[in-house]
Amino acid sequence: MPISDNRRPYTILFDLDGTLIDSTEAILESFARSFEILGGEVPDVEVIKAQVGHPLADMYRKLGVPEERIDDYVRTYKENYRQVHTQKTVLLPGAEAAVKKAAEFARLGIVTTKTGLYSQELMEHFGLMEYFDVLIGSEDVTRHKPHPEPILSALKRMGCPPKGCWMIGDTCMDLEAARRAGIEGIGLLCGYGKEEDLRRCGERLAPDALSAVTLIAQTPVEPS
């Protein structure tokens, strides 16, 4: 387990879905279950996947669920997701190596729009939670990515300055949040974001988390 040392010059914040993990099966099943129980036609798989990374309430809103019923759908989704998330989620290729390599030279955090409780359970399930100093989930902030609040909250909890801090994620929301928080961002091509969108949102792209960590390790931190 790495030592959390304020003298480390780098801080690396990771998104989860599409960045370190693939929980597509659990997500799609839980959406389908909520529509089966509460009514309505189950949306097309690609339509759901295009919304991954947004808070659940926003996803249901964009899928046409009436505002007054969104809480019921979110609750039903979570009831199913909690039962299947560890069994139907896998680490993306290179994710474990990325986390362990990053921990050699940086302090680490997770910034996700997933529920923090489920996120922590997943990271513990994969034996990786011990590498992270902080986990910011959807319930920990009032404004989600692309707003910078989740990133700024993570840095505040860690006591880290923006200098030397990087956000690794697979959507424009991650890259925009990084830009607005005054830190560097790397967009990943292994997740839910489309390459053409990521290229519009950021200058740095990488095929996966391990490649992104390798790039960061090769980028010196400019002196204050």
Short mmCIF file of all heavy atoms in Angstrom, two decimals, residues 14-75:
data_model
loop_
_atom_site.label_atom_id
_atom_site.label_comp_id
_atom_site.label_asym_id
_atom_site.label_seq_id
_atom_site.Cartn_x
_atom_site.Cartn_y
_atom_site.Cartn_z
N PHE A 14 -9.16 9.63 -10.77
CA PHE A 14 -9.72 8.73 -11.76
C PHE A 14 -11.24 8.78 -11.73
O PHE A 14 -11.85 8.77 -10.66
CB PHE A 14 -9.32 7.27 -11.47
CG PHE A 14 -7.87 6.95 -11.67
CD1 PHE A 14 -6.96 7.09 -10.64
CD2 PHE A 14 -7.42 6.46 -12.89
CE1 PHE A 14 -5.61 6.77 -10.81
CE2 PHE A 14 -6.08 6.13 -13.08
CZ PHE A 14 -5.18 6.28 -12.04
N ASP A 15 -11.84 8.82 -12.90
CA ASP A 15 -13.25 8.47 -13.04
C ASP A 15 -13.35 6.96 -12.89
O ASP A 15 -12.32 6.26 -12.84
CB ASP A 15 -13.73 8.93 -14.43
CG ASP A 15 -15.17 8.55 -14.71
OD1 ASP A 15 -16.04 8.81 -13.86
OD2 ASP A 15 -15.42 7.96 -15.79
N LEU A 16 -14.57 6.41 -12.83
CA LEU A 16 -14.71 4.96 -12.69
C LEU A 16 -15.24 4.30 -13.97
O LEU A 16 -14.51 3.65 -14.70
CB LEU A 16 -15.62 4.61 -11.49
CG LEU A 16 -14.95 4.60 -10.12
CD1 LEU A 16 -15.94 4.15 -9.06
CD2 LEU A 16 -13.73 3.70 -10.11
N ASP A 17 -16.54 4.46 -14.24
CA ASP A 17 -17.14 3.78 -15.39
C ASP A 17 -16.49 4.21 -16.69
O ASP A 17 -16.42 5.40 -17.01
CB ASP A 17 -18.65 4.08 -15.46
CG ASP A 17 -19.45 3.22 -14.49
OD1 ASP A 17 -19.27 1.99 -14.52
OD2 ASP A 17 -20.24 3.78 -13.73
N GLY A 18 -15.98 3.24 -17.44
CA GLY A 18 -15.33 3.54 -18.70
C GLY A 18 -13.89 3.97 -18.56
O GLY A 18 -13.19 4.16 -19.55
N THR A 19 -13.43 4.10 -17.33
CA THR A 19 -12.05 4.51 -17.05
C THR A 19 -11.28 3.39 -16.36
O THR A 19 -10.22 2.96 -16.83
CB THR A 19 -12.02 5.78 -16.19
OG1 THR A 19 -12.66 6.85 -16.91
CG2 THR A 19 -10.60 6.18 -15.83
N LEU A 20 -11.81 2.92 -15.24
CA LEU A 20 -11.21 1.79 -14.53
C LEU A 20 -12.08 0.54 -14.59
O LEU A 20 -11.56 -0.57 -14.53
CB LEU A 20 -10.95 2.15 -13.06
CG LEU A 20 -9.90 3.24 -12.79
CD1 LEU A 20 -9.81 3.49 -11.28
CD2 LEU A 20 -8.53 2.85 -13.35
N ILE A 21 -13.38 0.71 -14.68
CA ILE A 21 -14.28 -0.44 -14.63
C ILE A 21 -15.25 -0.43 -15.81
O ILE A 21 -15.51 0.59 -16.43
CB ILE A 21 -15.10 -0.46 -13.32
CG1 ILE A 21 -16.02 0.76 -13.23
CG2 ILE A 21 -14.17 -0.56 -12.11
CD1 ILE A 21 -16.98 0.73 -12.05
N ASP A 22 -15.79 -1.61 -16.08
CA ASP A 22 -16.88 -1.77 -17.05
C ASP A 22 -18.05 -2.41 -16.31
O ASP A 22 -18.05 -3.60 -16.04
CB ASP A 22 -16.45 -2.64 -18.22
CG ASP A 22 -17.55 -2.82 -19.26
OD1 ASP A 22 -18.65 -2.28 -19.05
OD2 ASP A 22 -17.31 -3.51 -20.27
N SER A 23 -19.02 -1.59 -15.96
CA SER A 23 -20.22 -2.09 -15.27
C SER A 23 -21.43 -1.99 -16.17
O SER A 23 -22.57 -1.88 -15.70
CB SER A 23 -20.45 -1.32 -13.96
OG SER A 23 -20.59 0.07 -14.22
N THR A 24 -21.20 -2.06 -17.48
CA THR A 24 -22.28 -1.91 -18.45
C THR A 24 -23.40 -2.92 -18.20
O THR A 24 -24.59 -2.56 -18.24
CB THR A 24 -21.75 -2.07 -19.89
OG1 THR A 24 -20.73 -1.11 -20.12
CG2 THR A 24 -22.87 -1.87 -20.89
N GLU A 25 -23.04 -4.17 -17.97
CA GLU A 25 -24.07 -5.20 -17.77
C GLU A 25 -24.95 -4.88 -16.58
O GLU A 25 -26.18 -4.97 -16.65
CB GLU A 25 -23.42 -6.57 -17.59
CG GLU A 25 -24.44 -7.71 -17.49
CD GLU A 25 -23.79 -9.07 -17.35
OE1 GLU A 25 -22.54 -9.16 -17.34
OE2 GLU A 25 -24.55 -10.07 -17.24
N ALA A 26 -24.33 -4.47 -15.46
CA ALA A 26 -25.11 -4.15 -14.26
C ALA A 26 -25.97 -2.90 -14.49
O ALA A 26 -27.11 -2.84 -14.01
CB ALA A 26 -24.16 -3.93 -13.09
N ILE A 27 -25.43 -1.93 -15.21
CA ILE A 27 -26.17 -0.69 -15.48
C ILE A 27 -27.39 -0.98 -16.34
O ILE A 27 -28.51 -0.57 -16.03
CB ILE A 27 -25.26 0.34 -16.15
CG1 ILE A 27 -24.21 0.86 -15.16
CG2 ILE A 27 -26.07 1.52 -16.70
CD1 ILE A 27 -23.12 1.71 -15.80
N LEU A 28 -27.19 -1.69 -17.45
CA LEU A 28 -28.28 -1.97 -18.37
C LEU A 28 -29.36 -2.82 -17.71
O LEU A 28 -30.56 -2.58 -17.90
CB LEU A 28 -27.75 -2.66 -19.62
CG LEU A 28 -26.82 -1.83 -20.51
CD1 LEU A 28 -26.32 -2.67 -21.68
CD2 LEU A 28 -27.52 -0.58 -21.02
N GLU A 29 -28.94 -3.82 -16.95
CA GLU A 29 -29.92 -4.66 -16.25
C GLU A 29 -30.75 -3.84 -15.27
O GLU A 29 -31.97 -4.01 -15.17
CB GLU A 29 -29.22 -5.79 -15.51
CG GLU A 29 -30.18 -6.67 -14.72
CD GLU A 29 -29.49 -7.73 -13.90
OE1 GLU A 29 -28.63 -8.45 -14.46
OE2 GLU A 29 -29.79 -7.83 -12.69
N SER A 30 -30.10 -2.94 -14.56
CA SER A 30 -30.80 -2.15 -13.54
C SER A 30 -31.76 -1.15 -14.18
O SER A 30 -32.86 -0.91 -13.65
CB SER A 30 -29.79 -1.44 -12.64
OG SER A 30 -28.97 -2.39 -11.97
N PHE A 31 -31.37 -0.56 -15.31
CA PHE A 31 -32.30 0.30 -16.03
C PHE A 31 -33.50 -0.50 -16.52
O PHE A 31 -34.66 -0.09 -16.37
CB PHE A 31 -31.61 0.99 -17.20
CG PHE A 31 -31.05 2.34 -16.87
CD1 PHE A 31 -29.69 2.50 -16.68
CD2 PHE A 31 -31.88 3.44 -16.72
CE1 PHE A 31 -29.17 3.73 -16.35
CE2 PHE A 31 -31.36 4.68 -16.39
CZ PHE A 31 -30.00 4.83 -16.21
N ALA A 32 -33.24 -1.65 -17.12
CA ALA A 32 -34.34 -2.49 -17.63
C ALA A 32 -35.27 -2.89 -16.51
O ALA A 32 -36.51 -2.86 -16.66
CB ALA A 32 -33.77 -3.73 -18.32
N ARG A 33 -34.71 -3.24 -15.38
CA ARG A 33 -35.53 -3.67 -14.24
C ARG A 33 -36.43 -2.54 -13.76
O ARG A 33 -37.60 -2.76 -13.43
CB ARG A 33 -34.62 -4.13 -13.10
CG ARG A 33 -35.33 -4.71 -11.90
CD ARG A 33 -36.07 -5.97 -12.26
NE ARG A 33 -36.66 -6.60 -11.10
CZ ARG A 33 -37.66 -7.47 -11.15
NH1 ARG A 33 -38.16 -7.82 -12.33
NH2 ARG A 33 -38.13 -8.01 -10.05
N SER A 34 -35.91 -1.31 -13.73
CA SER A 34 -36.71 -0.19 -13.25
C SER A 34 -37.90 0.07 -14.18
O SER A 34 -39.02 0.34 -13.71
CB SER A 34 -35.85 1.07 -13.11
OG SER A 34 -35.42 1.55 -14.36
N PHE A 35 -37.69 -0.05 -15.48
CA PHE A 35 -38.80 0.16 -16.42
C PHE A 35 -39.78 -1.01 -16.38
O PHE A 35 -40.99 -0.80 -16.53
CB PHE A 35 -38.25 0.36 -17.84
CG PHE A 35 -37.73 1.74 -18.09
CD1 PHE A 35 -36.39 2.03 -17.97
CD2 PHE A 35 -38.59 2.78 -18.42
CE1 PHE A 35 -35.90 3.31 -18.18
CE2 PHE A 35 -38.12 4.06 -18.64
CZ PHE A 35 -36.77 4.33 -18.52
N GLU A 36 -39.29 -2.22 -16.18
CA GLU A 36 -40.18 -3.37 -16.09
C GLU A 36 -41.10 -3.27 -14.88
O GLU A 36 -42.28 -3.62 -14.94
CB GLU A 36 -39.36 -4.66 -16.00
CG GLU A 36 -38.64 -5.02 -17.30
CD GLU A 36 -37.57 -6.07 -17.11
OE1 GLU A 36 -37.41 -6.55 -15.95
OE2 GLU A 36 -36.90 -6.43 -18.09
N ILE A 37 -40.58 -2.75 -13.77
CA ILE A 37 -41.37 -2.66 -12.54
C ILE A 37 -42.29 -1.44 -12.55
O ILE A 37 -43.46 -1.54 -12.17
CB ILE A 37 -40.42 -2.59 -11.32
CG1 ILE A 37 -39.70 -3.94 -11.13
CG2 ILE A 37 -41.19 -2.23 -10.04
CD1 ILE A 37 -38.67 -3.93 -10.04
N LEU A 38 -41.78 -0.31 -13.02
CA LEU A 38 -42.53 0.95 -12.90
C LEU A 38 -43.25 1.35 -14.17
O LEU A 38 -44.04 2.30 -14.15
CB LEU A 38 -41.57 2.06 -12.45
CG LEU A 38 -40.93 1.84 -11.08
CD1 LEU A 38 -39.90 2.92 -10.79
CD2 LEU A 38 -41.98 1.79 -9.98
N GLY A 39 -42.96 0.67 -15.26
CA GLY A 39 -43.68 0.95 -16.49
C GLY A 39 -42.86 1.72 -17.49
O GLY A 39 -41.88 2.40 -17.16
N GLY A 40 -43.27 1.62 -18.74
CA GLY A 40 -42.57 2.31 -19.83
C GLY A 40 -41.71 1.34 -20.62
O GLY A 40 -41.29 0.30 -20.12
N GLU A 41 -41.46 1.69 -21.86
CA GLU A 41 -40.63 0.86 -22.72
C GLU A 41 -39.16 1.02 -22.35
O GLU A 41 -38.68 2.14 -22.16
CB GLU A 41 -40.85 1.25 -24.17
CG GLU A 41 -40.07 0.40 -25.17
CD GLU A 41 -40.36 0.79 -26.60
OE1 GLU A 41 -41.27 1.63 -26.82
OE2 GLU A 41 -39.68 0.27 -27.50
N VAL A 42 -38.47 -0.10 -22.24
CA VAL A 42 -37.05 -0.04 -21.91
C VAL A 42 -36.30 0.65 -23.06
O VAL A 42 -36.41 0.24 -24.21
CB VAL A 42 -36.48 -1.45 -21.70
CG1 VAL A 42 -34.98 -1.37 -21.39
CG2 VAL A 42 -37.21 -2.16 -20.56
N PRO A 43 -35.54 1.70 -22.77
CA PRO A 43 -34.82 2.42 -23.83
C PRO A 43 -33.80 1.54 -24.54
O PRO A 43 -33.32 0.54 -23.98
CB PRO A 43 -34.14 3.57 -23.07
CG PRO A 43 -34.93 3.73 -21.82
CD PRO A 43 -35.38 2.35 -21.46
N ASP A 44 -33.46 1.93 -25.74
CA ASP A 44 -32.44 1.22 -26.50
C ASP A 44 -31.11 1.23 -25.74
O ASP A 44 -30.77 2.21 -25.07
CB ASP A 44 -32.26 1.91 -27.86
CG ASP A 44 -31.20 1.22 -28.72
OD1 ASP A 44 -31.52 0.19 -29.31
OD2 ASP A 44 -30.06 1.73 -28.74
N VAL A 45 -30.40 0.13 -25.86
CA VAL A 45 -29.13 -0.03 -25.15
C VAL A 45 -28.17 1.12 -25.45
O VAL A 45 -27.55 1.69 -24.54
CB VAL A 45 -28.48 -1.37 -25.53
CG1 VAL A 45 -27.02 -1.41 -25.07
CG2 VAL A 45 -29.25 -2.53 -24.91
N GLU A 46 -28.03 1.49 -26.71
CA GLU A 46 -27.08 2.54 -27.08
C GLU A 46 -27.51 3.90 -26.53
O GLU A 46 -26.66 4.74 -26.22
CB GLU A 46 -26.92 2.60 -28.59
CG GLU A 46 -26.27 1.36 -29.19
CD GLU A 46 -24.91 1.04 -28.56
OE1 GLU A 46 -24.14 1.99 -28.33
OE2 GLU A 46 -24.64 -0.14 -28.31
N VAL A 47 -28.80 4.11 -26.41
CA VAL A 47 -29.31 5.37 -25.84
C VAL A 47 -28.93 5.46 -24.37
O VAL A 47 -28.51 6.52 -23.88
CB VAL A 47 -30.84 5.46 -26.01
CG1 VAL A 47 -31.40 6.68 -25.27
CG2 VAL A 47 -31.21 5.54 -27.49
N ILE A 48 -29.05 4.35 -23.66
CA ILE A 48 -28.66 4.34 -22.24
C ILE A 48 -27.15 4.54 -22.10
O ILE A 48 -26.69 5.36 -21.30
CB ILE A 48 -29.08 3.01 -21.57
CG1 ILE A 48 -30.60 2.88 -21.55
CG2 ILE A 48 -28.53 2.93 -20.14
CD1 ILE A 48 -31.10 1.54 -21.03
N LYS A 49 -26.39 3.81 -22.88
CA LYS A 49 -24.93 3.89 -22.78
C LYS A 49 -24.43 5.30 -23.06
O LYS A 49 -23.43 5.74 -22.49
CB LYS A 49 -24.28 2.88 -23.72
CG LYS A 49 -24.44 1.44 -23.26
CD LYS A 49 -24.04 0.44 -24.33
CE LYS A 49 -22.59 0.53 -24.69
NZ LYS A 49 -22.20 -0.55 -25.65
N ALA A 50 -25.12 6.01 -23.94
CA ALA A 50 -24.70 7.38 -24.28
C ALA A 50 -24.85 8.33 -23.10
O ALA A 50 -24.25 9.41 -23.09
CB ALA A 50 -25.51 7.89 -25.47
N GLN A 51 -25.64 7.94 -22.10
CA GLN A 51 -25.87 8.80 -20.95
C GLN A 51 -24.99 8.44 -19.75
O GLN A 51 -25.01 9.15 -18.74
CB GLN A 51 -27.34 8.71 -20.52
CG GLN A 51 -28.33 9.18 -21.57
CD GLN A 51 -28.12 10.63 -21.95
OE1 GLN A 51 -27.75 11.45 -21.12
NE2 GLN A 51 -28.33 10.93 -23.22
N VAL A 52 -24.26 7.34 -19.85
CA VAL A 52 -23.43 6.92 -18.72
C VAL A 52 -22.40 8.01 -18.40
O VAL A 52 -21.74 8.54 -19.29
CB VAL A 52 -22.72 5.59 -19.03
CG1 VAL A 52 -21.74 5.24 -17.91
CG2 VAL A 52 -23.75 4.46 -19.19
N GLY A 53 -22.30 8.31 -17.13
CA GLY A 53 -21.42 9.39 -16.67
C GLY A 53 -22.21 10.54 -16.08
O GLY A 53 -21.69 11.32 -15.29
N HIS A 54 -23.51 10.63 -16.46
CA HIS A 54 -24.39 11.61 -15.84
C HIS A 54 -24.98 11.03 -14.55
O HIS A 54 -25.07 9.82 -14.40
CB HIS A 54 -25.54 11.97 -16.80
CG HIS A 54 -25.11 12.72 -18.01
ND1 HIS A 54 -24.69 12.10 -19.18
CD2 HIS A 54 -25.02 14.06 -18.26
CE1 HIS A 54 -24.37 13.01 -20.08
NE2 HIS A 54 -24.56 14.21 -19.55
N PRO A 55 -25.41 11.88 -13.63
CA PRO A 55 -26.13 11.39 -12.46
C PRO A 55 -27.38 10.62 -12.89
O PRO A 55 -27.99 10.90 -13.92
CB PRO A 55 -26.49 12.67 -11.70
CG PRO A 55 -25.48 13.68 -12.16
CD PRO A 55 -25.20 13.34 -13.59
N LEU A 56 -27.77 9.64 -12.09
CA LEU A 56 -28.91 8.80 -12.44
C LEU A 56 -30.18 9.60 -12.72
O LEU A 56 -30.90 9.32 -13.68
CB LEU A 56 -29.18 7.79 -11.31
CG LEU A 56 -28.39 6.50 -11.34
CD1 LEU A 56 -28.67 5.69 -10.08
CD2 LEU A 56 -28.68 5.68 -12.58
N ALA A 57 -30.46 10.58 -11.88
CA ALA A 57 -31.68 11.37 -12.08
C ALA A 57 -31.66 12.06 -13.44
O ALA A 57 -32.68 12.09 -14.14
CB ALA A 57 -31.83 12.40 -10.96
N ASP A 58 -30.51 12.57 -13.83
CA ASP A 58 -30.40 13.22 -15.15
C ASP A 58 -30.57 12.21 -16.27
O ASP A 58 -31.16 12.51 -17.32
CB ASP A 58 -29.05 13.92 -15.28
CG ASP A 58 -28.94 15.16 -14.42
OD1 ASP A 58 -29.98 15.61 -13.89
OD2 ASP A 58 -27.82 15.69 -14.27
N MET A 59 -30.06 11.00 -16.06
CA MET A 59 -30.20 9.97 -17.09
C MET A 59 -31.67 9.63 -17.31
O MET A 59 -32.15 9.57 -18.45
CB MET A 59 -29.42 8.73 -16.69
CG MET A 59 -27.91 8.91 -16.69
SD MET A 59 -27.00 7.44 -16.17
CE MET A 59 -27.21 6.38 -17.60
N TYR A 60 -32.40 9.44 -16.22
CA TYR A 60 -33.83 9.13 -16.35
C TYR A 60 -34.58 10.31 -16.96
O TYR A 60 -35.50 10.13 -17.76
CB TYR A 60 -34.42 8.75 -15.00
CG TYR A 60 -34.18 7.30 -14.65
CD1 TYR A 60 -33.29 6.94 -13.65
CD2 TYR A 60 -34.85 6.29 -15.32
CE1 TYR A 60 -33.07 5.60 -13.33
CE2 TYR A 60 -34.64 4.95 -15.01
CZ TYR A 60 -33.75 4.61 -14.01
OH TYR A 60 -33.53 3.30 -13.71
N ARG A 61 -34.18 11.50 -16.58
CA ARG A 61 -34.82 12.70 -17.14
C ARG A 61 -34.64 12.73 -18.65
O ARG A 61 -35.60 12.98 -19.41
CB ARG A 61 -34.22 13.93 -16.47
CG ARG A 61 -34.95 15.24 -16.74
CD ARG A 61 -34.37 16.34 -15.86
NE ARG A 61 -34.71 16.16 -14.46
CZ ARG A 61 -33.82 15.91 -13.49
NH1 ARG A 61 -32.52 15.81 -13.78
NH2 ARG A 61 -34.21 15.76 -12.24
N LYS A 62 -33.43 12.45 -19.12
CA LYS A 62 -33.16 12.46 -20.55
C LYS A 62 -33.80 11.28 -21.28
O LYS A 62 -33.99 11.33 -22.49
CB LYS A 62 -31.65 12.49 -20.78
CG LYS A 62 -31.01 13.81 -20.35
CD LYS A 62 -29.52 13.81 -20.56
CE LYS A 62 -28.91 15.13 -20.11
NZ LYS A 62 -27.44 15.18 -20.29
N LEU A 63 -34.13 10.24 -20.52
CA LEU A 63 -34.80 9.08 -21.11
C LEU A 63 -36.32 9.24 -21.12
O LEU A 63 -37.05 8.32 -21.51
CB LEU A 63 -34.41 7.80 -20.35
CG LEU A 63 -32.95 7.37 -20.48
CD1 LEU A 63 -32.63 6.23 -19.54
CD2 LEU A 63 -32.62 6.99 -21.92
N GLY A 64 -36.80 10.40 -20.67
CA GLY A 64 -38.22 10.72 -20.79
C GLY A 64 -39.08 10.39 -19.60
O GLY A 64 -40.31 10.47 -19.69
N VAL A 65 -38.48 10.04 -18.48
CA VAL A 65 -39.28 9.75 -17.28
C VAL A 65 -39.81 11.06 -16.71
O VAL A 65 -39.05 12.02 -16.55
CB VAL A 65 -38.42 9.01 -16.23
CG1 VAL A 65 -39.19 8.84 -14.92
CG2 VAL A 65 -37.98 7.65 -16.77
N PRO A 66 -41.11 11.13 -16.39
CA PRO A 66 -41.67 12.35 -15.81
C PRO A 66 -40.96 12.75 -14.52
O PRO A 66 -40.56 11.89 -13.73
CB PRO A 66 -43.13 11.98 -15.54
CG PRO A 66 -43.42 10.86 -16.50
CD PRO A 66 -42.13 10.10 -16.60
N GLU A 67 -40.79 14.03 -14.32
CA GLU A 67 -40.04 14.54 -13.18
C GLU A 67 -40.54 13.97 -11.85
O GLU A 67 -39.74 13.61 -10.98
CB GLU A 67 -40.13 16.07 -13.15
CG GLU A 67 -39.16 16.72 -12.18
CD GLU A 67 -37.71 16.61 -12.62
OE1 GLU A 67 -37.47 16.55 -13.84
OE2 GLU A 67 -36.84 16.57 -11.73
N GLU A 68 -41.86 13.88 -11.70
CA GLU A 68 -42.42 13.43 -10.42
C GLU A 68 -42.18 11.94 -10.15
O GLU A 68 -42.39 11.47 -9.03
CB GLU A 68 -43.93 13.72 -10.36
CG GLU A 68 -44.78 12.94 -11.35
CD GLU A 68 -44.88 13.62 -12.72
OE1 GLU A 68 -44.10 14.57 -12.97
OE2 GLU A 68 -45.74 13.19 -13.51
N ARG A 69 -41.69 11.20 -11.15
CA ARG A 69 -41.47 9.77 -10.97
C ARG A 69 -39.99 9.39 -10.97
O ARG A 69 -39.64 8.22 -10.75
CB ARG A 69 -42.18 8.97 -12.08
CG ARG A 69 -43.69 9.20 -12.14
CD ARG A 69 -44.37 8.06 -12.87
NE ARG A 69 -44.26 6.82 -12.13
CZ ARG A 69 -44.50 5.61 -12.67
NH1 ARG A 69 -44.82 5.51 -13.95
NH2 ARG A 69 -44.39 4.52 -11.93
N ILE A 70 -39.13 10.36 -11.19
CA ILE A 70 -37.70 10.06 -11.30
C ILE A 70 -37.16 9.42 -10.03
O ILE A 70 -36.39 8.44 -10.09
CB ILE A 70 -36.92 11.34 -11.66
CG1 ILE A 70 -37.17 11.70 -13.13
CG2 ILE A 70 -35.42 11.16 -11.40
CD1 ILE A 70 -36.51 12.99 -13.57
N ASP A 71 -37.52 9.92 -8.88
CA ASP A 71 -37.01 9.35 -7.62
C ASP A 71 -37.36 7.88 -7.49
O ASP A 71 -36.56 7.07 -6.99
CB ASP A 71 -37.55 10.12 -6.42
CG ASP A 71 -36.92 11.50 -6.27
OD1 ASP A 71 -35.91 11.76 -6.94
OD2 ASP A 71 -37.46 12.32 -5.50
N ASP A 72 -38.56 7.50 -7.92
CA ASP A 72 -38.98 6.10 -7.85
C ASP A 72 -38.12 5.23 -8.76
O ASP A 72 -37.72 4.12 -8.38
CB ASP A 72 -40.45 5.95 -8.23
CG ASP A 72 -41.39 6.60 -7.22
OD1 ASP A 72 -41.00 6.71 -6.05
OD2 ASP A 72 -42.50 6.98 -7.62
N TYR A 73 -37.83 5.74 -9.96
CA TYR A 73 -37.01 4.98 -10.90
C TYR A 73 -35.58 4.84 -10.38
O TYR A 73 -34.97 3.77 -10.48
CB TYR A 73 -37.02 5.64 -12.28
CG TYR A 73 -38.23 5.29 -13.11
CD1 TYR A 73 -39.46 5.91 -12.90
CD2 TYR A 73 -38.15 4.33 -14.12
CE1 TYR A 73 -40.58 5.59 -13.66
CE2 TYR A 73 -39.27 4.00 -14.88
CZ TYR A 73 -40.47 4.64 -14.64
OH TYR A 73 -41.58 4.31 -15.39
N VAL A 74 -35.05 5.92 -9.83
CA VAL A 74 -33.69 5.88 -9.28
C VAL A 74 -33.62 4.87 -8.14
O VAL A 74 -32.67 4.07 -8.04
CB VAL A 74 -33.24 7.27 -8.81
CG1 VAL A 74 -31.95 7.18 -8.00
CG2 VAL A 74 -33.05 8.20 -10.00
N ARG A 75 -34.60 4.90 -7.26
CA ARG A 75 -34.62 3.98 -6.13
C ARG A 75 -34.69 2.52 -6.60
O ARG A 75 -33.97 1.65 -6.09
CB ARG A 75 -35.79 4.30 -5.21
CG ARG A 75 -35.86 3.40 -3.97
CD ARG A 75 -36.90 3.86 -2.97
NE ARG A 75 -38.22 3.92 -3.57
CZ ARG A 75 -38.84 5.05 -3.88
NH1 ARG A 75 -38.24 6.21 -3.67
NH2 ARG A 75 -40.05 5.03 -4.41
#
